[in-house]
Amino acid sequence: MTISIIVAIAENYAIGKNNQLLWHMPNDLKHFKEITSGRTIIMGRKTFDSVGKPLPKRRNIVVTRQDISLPGCEVVKSIDEGLALCAGEDEVFIGGGAEIYRQAMDITDRIYLTIIHHDFDADTFFPEIDYQRWNEVSREYHDADEKNPYPYSFITLNRR
């Protein structure tokens, strides 16, 4: 099974503030949906709370220490427990937030990375990427436009 992180980060590694995204980039949301639809996504409870509902057309696994039930989701206590539920799947996605990304970095095989070419004021950051440990296999640069207010790049990294 390939374990893949999917994330959008700012140039300064910012990913959120007050449990909300820092930008509205429809093309990144479309990219996220295209990559993850029909697949399993594992996310932390705070990320689930910020989304507000299970992501459609995906198996949603939520990691939390709380003893809760979330309709439309499977709830687990750890990333490892979530991955164990995915035996036999070809690719599973780690969808945040910061603590879940940090815990998953050492077991991740691939990163689907959107870089928003801007710095943001934030309280939540993605772990710094050691590019010596990753091979860049694709990169697409896009200028800002009327719907996407910042230039951005879609990058795929595979672990060396």
Side-chain angles (χ1 to χ4, degrees), residues 5 18 38 43 58 78 85 98 104 128 134 137:
I5 281 176
N18 300 322
M43 69 187 97
R58 279 154 281 212
S78 68
L85 295 176
E128 194 160 327
W134 299 92
V137 294

Side-chain angles (χ1 to χ4, degrees), residues 83-96:
L83 291 170
L85 295 176
C86 302
E89 294 185 32
D90 60 342
E91 188 172 23
V92 174
F93 291 89
I94 306 294

